[in-house]
Amino acid sequence: MPSSVPGDSGGSKAAHSPSGATGSRIGTYLSPRTWLLPLFVLLLLGGTGSALYIGGLGSPSGHLEHVPVALVNRDGGTDAGGTQEDFGQDLAGTLKENSDKTDDFDMRPLSWDEAQAQLRSGQVYAAVVLEEDFSADAVGLVSSSLTDTEATRPHITFYTNPLASPLGSQLAADAIVPALDEASRNLGEQLEDSAEQARAVAQERQGAELTEAGVPEGVQSQLAPQLNGTSAAVLSDPIEITERPFEKPQEGSALGMGAFFYSVLLMVVGISGSVALHFLLDSRLGVLPIELGPRFRRGPLLRPARWATFLLKWGIVLVAGLPTAGLMMWIASAVGMPIPHGGWFFFSTWLCLATVSAVTFGLITLFGSAGMILSMIYIVFMGLPAATGVVPLEMLPGFFKFIARGEPLYQMTIANKAILYFDAQAGAGLQAGLIGMGVIILVFVVAALVAGVVYDRLLGTRAADLELDNRAARH
């Protein structure tokens, strides 16, 4: 006869019978607690991601606010029959006055040297340059319209800055070039009035001379100065506007988006590597089992302190991030990405990985497994729109302007952009990006260490009750 087990009752035996175990499994599979939480997670990620990503990037032209554009007046004015004409100054003043009426653009009156410096450091997305002899060319159009002499149209060059932001430069052009066209028509009205006055004066003077010479009035009208169709068309829209990039992006820079794409790659590597390392280390520490192909195992139960586990995981990334940064740079260069200032770029690449891993491990330490979901929301869904890699900060909804400087991807992007495109200038974003990443690291490392110590004191070290739970499950 089978021996009995002390303390077991018939009900207990029934509960552990095969049929009872099967019923328990089916009940677990069908329980709302089994499928409601995964459903909630998917809904949370899908809804939050759509709201943040599409909402942040969907309408940049509707959120223009203080978009920086340089305004350069190189015109020195000209003498027009004893009267000083300064059409360039008048036009620049009108553009500045109109921009000040709204918050859309920050039109900055600068010298040409100052404008070039800000274009080269990515501080402005475009530049409106009224070229030299603007007034002289405008006055020349009036005189040439009444004679057979040749004249040059007054010229404005609109420089875009695709290295600062391809989309930002294009949206600035879409808004400002029509304003320049309107300014050309307004100037045309002035020139047409001047031409008509000059024609009337010339006709009166010529008429007096011809009358004195005995020329009939009918012949005088034929000899009087006239505006032909071509001259009238040029006068009605006199300004020649040329749009061109200030500096063309190099081959391999993804039309100026390469720094952003590389930063996104670092973000993906940082998050996915941190999550993978989290599971691998927890398995080695005996906290969680891990499944690798057909193998399902867990290391010896070490009961590590939470703060020590955080430092171990992040420390591994800090060390492993050095060869990883070198490998990523080497491959990027091998496939055609131009990389100036290799030392700065190596340090920035490594610091980006360190920042993303500190945030990911910090959130996992603070919130457990839910920290992985929060990492996706904070680093990815909130970070991508605020990164300014696609849409500039000045063209984002207010929420993303507010959170941008607290987002790792924003700091990563401006630092990498400064290195790759703006000669590693501190003022172009390098200094701000490196300091920003350092502050984010400090915040999450301190928060993780403090929370780890508090959790351990209040709740015990990680997996302290896991062995008891396993024994209870076996019985």
Side-chain angles (χ1 to χ4, degrees):
M1 295 180 61
S3 61
S4 61
V5 178
D8 278 351
S9 64
S12 175
K13 292 179 181 179
H16 291 286
S17 65
S19 59
T22 301
S24 176
R25 292 192 189 98
I26 294 176
T28 300
Y29 296 148
L30 298 179
S31 172
R33 295 177 61 185
T34 301
W35 52 267
L36 275 180
L37 183 58
L39 174 61
F40 171 76
V41 170
L42 286 175
L43 290 174
L44 175 65
L45 292 176
T48 304
S50 299
L52 292 172
Y53 193 70
I54 305 301
L57 302 179
S59 182
S61 60
H63 298 97
L64 301 180
E65 185 176 11
H66 304 300
V67 178
V69 176
L71 177 60
V72 181
N73 177 26
R74 306 182 70 190
D75 178 36
T78 190
D79 180 74
T83 303
Q84 181 69 18
E85 294 287 359
D86 202 336
F87 292 114
Q89 182 176 351
D90 295 341
L91 177 54
T94 301
L95 291 174
K96 174 63 175 172
E97 182 180 351
N98 290 339
S99 70
D100 290 343
K101 293 178 181 178
T102 68
D103 292 331
D104 291 351
F105 290 92
D106 174 19
M107 198 74 74
R108 303 176 179 179
L110 302 172
S111 69
W112 179 225
D113 290 339
E114 292 171 335
Q116 291 182 87
Q118 294 200 13
L119 286 166
R120 291 194 176 99
S121 60
Q123 297 180 53
V124 293
Y125 298 131
V128 179
V129 181
L130 282 66
E131 300 293 355
E132 298 174 335
D133 299 326
F134 185 89
S135 296
D137 291 339
V139 171
L141 283 182
V142 175
S143 60
S144 70
S145 65
L146 303 175
T147 64
D148 293 331
T149 59
E150 294 185 359
T152 302
R153 298 172 67 185
H155 189 212
I156 292 178
T157 305
F158 184 85
Y159 290 100
T160 59
N161 195 6
L163 292 178
S165 172
L167 180 61
S169 294
Q170 189 56 54
L171 288 178
D174 291 344
I176 294 176
V177 170
L180 297 179
D181 291 334
E182 182 180 356
S184 178
R185 290 189 291 271
N186 292 336
L187 177 61
E189 293 177 0
Q190 298 180 49
L191 298 183
E192 286 176 332
D193 290 342
S194 298
E196 183 61 31
Q197 294 175 12
R199 189 186 70 82
V201 170
Q203 186 175 0
E204 182 179 354
R205 183 184 301 113
Q206 185 184 61
E209 295 174 353
L210 295 177
T211 300
E212 185 178 351
V215 178
E217 292 185 1
V219 177
Q220 291 182 25
S221 62
Q222 297 178 7
L223 297 176
Q226 301 291 334
L227 286 175
N228 60 39
T230 301
S231 297
V234 172
L235 281 180
S236 65
D237 188 13
I239 300 177
E240 181 181 0
I241 301 171
T242 302
E243 182 179 339
R244 65 178 62 164
F246 179 71
E247 289 184 358
K248 292 184 178 180
Q250 288 182 275
E251 187 69 26
S253 64
L255 301 178
M257 298 283 287
F260 170 65
F261 294 154
Y262 187 80
S263 299
V264 171
L265 174 62
L266 291 172
M267 177 192 71
V268 173
V269 172
I271 290 182
S272 56
S274 297
V275 170
L277 194 150
H278 163 70
F279 284 112
L280 290 173
L281 262 294
D282 275 1
S283 173
R284 292 293 299 170
L285 299 175
V287 177
L288 292 173
I290 190 170
E291 188 172 12
L292 296 173
R295 303 184 64 185
F296 186 85
R297 61 177 301 174
R298 191 188 73 207
L301 187 59
L302 301 180
R303 298 193 178 112
R306 288 177 174 84
W307 64 267
T309 304
F310 169 81
L311 289 180
L312 175 62
K313 294 175 180 177
W314 190 52
I316 291 176
V317 173
L318 293 182
V319 175
L322 294 171
T324 303
L327 177 63
M328 293 180 67
M329 283 181 59
W330 178 78
I331 293 177
S333 177
V335 298
M337 178 178 172
I339 301 180
H341 305 285
W344 275 116
F345 199 57
F346 174 81
F347 177 71
S348 178
T349 298
W350 172 81
L351 188 61
C352 290
L353 295 173
T355 303
V356 174
S357 62
V359 173
T360 304
F361 291 139
L363 291 174
I364 291 174
T365 302
L366 289 167
F367 301 102
S369 298
M372 290 181 281
I373 298 173
L374 295 176
S375 296
M376 290 292 298
I377 294 175
Y378 170 58
I379 300 176
V380 180
F381 294 150
M382 294 171 64
L384 280 171
T388 71
V390 177
V391 179
L393 195 64
E394 297 83 2
M395 301 179 184
L396 289 173
F399 171 74
F400 294 99
K401 292 188 178 89
F402 176 74
I403 68 170
R405 289 169 179 81
E407 285 293 330
L409 189 56
Y410 171 80
Q411 307 294 352
M412 294 158 60
T413 301
I414 63 173
N416 291 329
K417 185 184 292 185
I419 296 170
L420 292 177
Y421 304 146
F422 302 124
D423 199 28
Q425 298 180 57
L430 178 59
Q431 177 177 300
L434 296 183
I435 292 176
M437 283 188 276
V439 171
I440 291 173
I441 288 174
L442 179 63
V443 169
F444 279 90
V445 168
V446 171
L449 293 178
V450 171
V453 172
V454 172
Y455 290 172
D456 286 345
R457 290 185 177 179
L458 294 179
L459 305 173
T461 57
R462 302 177 75 214
D465 298 326
L466 186 59
E467 189 172 340
L468 297 178
D469 292 342
N470 289 341
R471 289 177 181 176
R474 287 195 296 267
H475 290 286

